[in-house]
Amino acid sequence: MGEQSGRRVAILGTGNIGSAIARGLVAGGIAPAREITLTRRILGSLGPLREEGFALTTDNVAAVRGSDLLFIAVPPRQLDGLLEEIRPAVDPRKHTVVSIVTGATIAVIRARLGNDVPVIRAMPNTAIAIRQSMTCLATDGDGRGTLATVKKMFDALGGTLVIEEDLMVPATALCACGIAFFLRAIRAASQGGIEIGFHAADALLMAAQTARGAAALLVEGGMHPEGEVDRVTTPRGCTIAGLNQMEHSGFSSALIRGIVTSAEKAAVLYAPQGRAEAE
C-alpha cells in the first residue's frame, strides 16, 4: 500500500485524530496528500491541511465515491448520521472501512451500511502523525481478508497489535487516552524540574527524553519495568526515597484508576440510534 498502490483514501470527520492519521499516512509513504480526501462539516480549521496538499470537502458521499479506503473518524454521536448518509455510496466490492469510532461494533457499522463491506476497527493515538502510534486493530470473519493489508499500513505508523474486538474499548483507554496520561506525567516531571532549579524549556526536554529512554528500555530492550526500576534504586538512595513518596501520594493507584475510569466512559460513548443494534 505504498504511494504506487493506486489506492485513494478518504478520512470522514477530520478532527484531531483524523488530521493526525492524514499526516501519518503521508509521512509513512502510504499515500501522497493529493490522494487523501478529508471531510468536515466546516472546513475553516483545516486550512493548514489544504496548504499541505490534501483535498478538502464537506461532501462525504463524493469523498466515498472517489476513494476505496475509508477512515471513519467522527465523534460517536455523529456516527449513525454519517453511515446513513454514505450508505448508498459504499460498495463492498471496492471499499474497506476502517473505523476509529469508540464503542461502535463492527456488526453495528456493517448493519447500518446494509452490506458486507469489510470493516476493521482501529484505535491509534495522536502520535500517529509522527509515525509513533500504538494502534490496536480488530475485525471479524468478513474482514480477515483485508486485515493484513490494513495492519501493514499501520505498521508503518508505529506499533500495532491485533486484538479481539471486545478489547477495543479498553484499548481506547490504555492507548488513545493513555497518551494524554503519559504527557501529563511528563509535564508534572518538568514542573518538578523547574522547582529544583531548571528553566522550563530545559526541564521539559530532560523529562521528555528521560521518558523516551524509559519506554525504549521496554519496547526495544524487552525489559520489565520493575527490573529496570530495581537497577536504578539503591539502599537509602534518592531514587527509592522519591518513588516511595510518589506511591504514598497514590501515583500508581491514580494512574490505574484513571485508565479504568476512561474505559468505563469509553464504553458508553456510542449509543445506536433508531434501528436496533445488530445481533
Side-chain angles (χ1 to χ4, degrees):
M1 285 186 62
E3 291 193 8
Q4 303 303 317
S5 67
R7 301 203 70 168
R8 295 188 62 86
V9 178
I11 299 177
L12 310 180
T14 309
N16 291 331
I17 190 64
S19 299
I21 291 170
R23 290 186 168 114
L25 293 174
V26 173
I30 307 302
R34 66 179 180 274
E35 293 182 4
I36 301 175
T37 300
L38 311 179
T39 79
R40 189 165 179 163
R41 288 183 294 183
I42 300 174
L43 299 178
S45 63
L46 302 185
L49 290 163
R50 187 189 301 277
E51 294 175 2
E52 293 171 36
F54 295 98
L56 307 183
T57 182
T58 59
D59 190 335
N60 290 310
V61 172
V64 168
R65 287 177 173 154
S67 306
D68 47 30
L69 181 61
L70 310 177
F71 285 87
I72 298 179
V74 295
R77 66 182 181 278
Q78 296 178 13
L79 177 63
D80 289 352
L82 174 67
L83 295 178
E84 288 296 329
E85 178 185 0
I86 67 173
R87 180 178 182 178
V90 174
D91 182 350
R93 298 166 298 179
K94 171 185 177 182
H95 291 114
T96 296
V97 172
V98 179
S99 172
I100 317 296
V101 181
T102 299
T105 66
I106 292 168
V108 163
I109 293 170
R110 189 176 286 120
R112 290 187 175 276
L113 289 174
N115 56 45
D116 57 355
V117 62
V119 178
I120 311 292
R121 287 181 66 183
M123 187 48 62
N125 58 44
T126 53
I128 198 169
I130 57 169
R131 301 173 62 194
Q132 291 295 327
S133 177
M134 178 64 233
T135 302
C136 291
L137 302 170
T139 192
D140 60 3
D142 292 334
R144 292 292 175 189
T146 58
L147 178 61
T149 301
V150 173
K151 183 179 184 301
K152 183 178 180 182
M153 175 187 65
F154 279 107
D155 284 343
L157 305 176
T160 60
L161 183 66
V162 177
I163 62 177
E164 295 298 321
E165 188 181 7
D166 61 2
L167 289 174
M168 286 301 291
V169 166
T172 301
L174 187 55
C175 301
C177 303
I179 198 166
F181 303 153
F182 289 110
L183 288 168
R184 181 60 62 86
I186 292 169
R187 172 60 174 156
S190 74
Q191 290 176 314
I194 295 169
E195 186 165 343
I196 60 176
F198 293 103
H199 291 294
D202 292 339
L204 182 56
L205 173 62
M206 295 163 71
Q209 180 57 39
T210 299
R212 176 187 283 177
L217 285 171
L218 310 184
V219 176
E220 299 172 20
M223 306 301 183
H224 189 278
E226 286 308 307
E228 290 303 305
V229 168
D230 288 344
R231 292 180 62 187
V232 181
T233 54
T234 56
R236 299 181 180 178
C238 56
T239 303
I240 192 62
L243 282 172
N244 284 343
Q245 180 59 50
M246 286 191 287
E247 291 303 334
H248 288 322
S249 299
F251 177 76
S252 291
S253 60
L255 185 56
I256 292 166
R257 190 61 222 163
I259 291 170
V260 172
T261 299
S262 286
E264 292 170 347
K265 179 68 172 180
V268 298
L269 286 177
Y270 173 71
Q273 304 294 317
R275 280 179 285 168
E277 182 170 347
E279 296 295 332

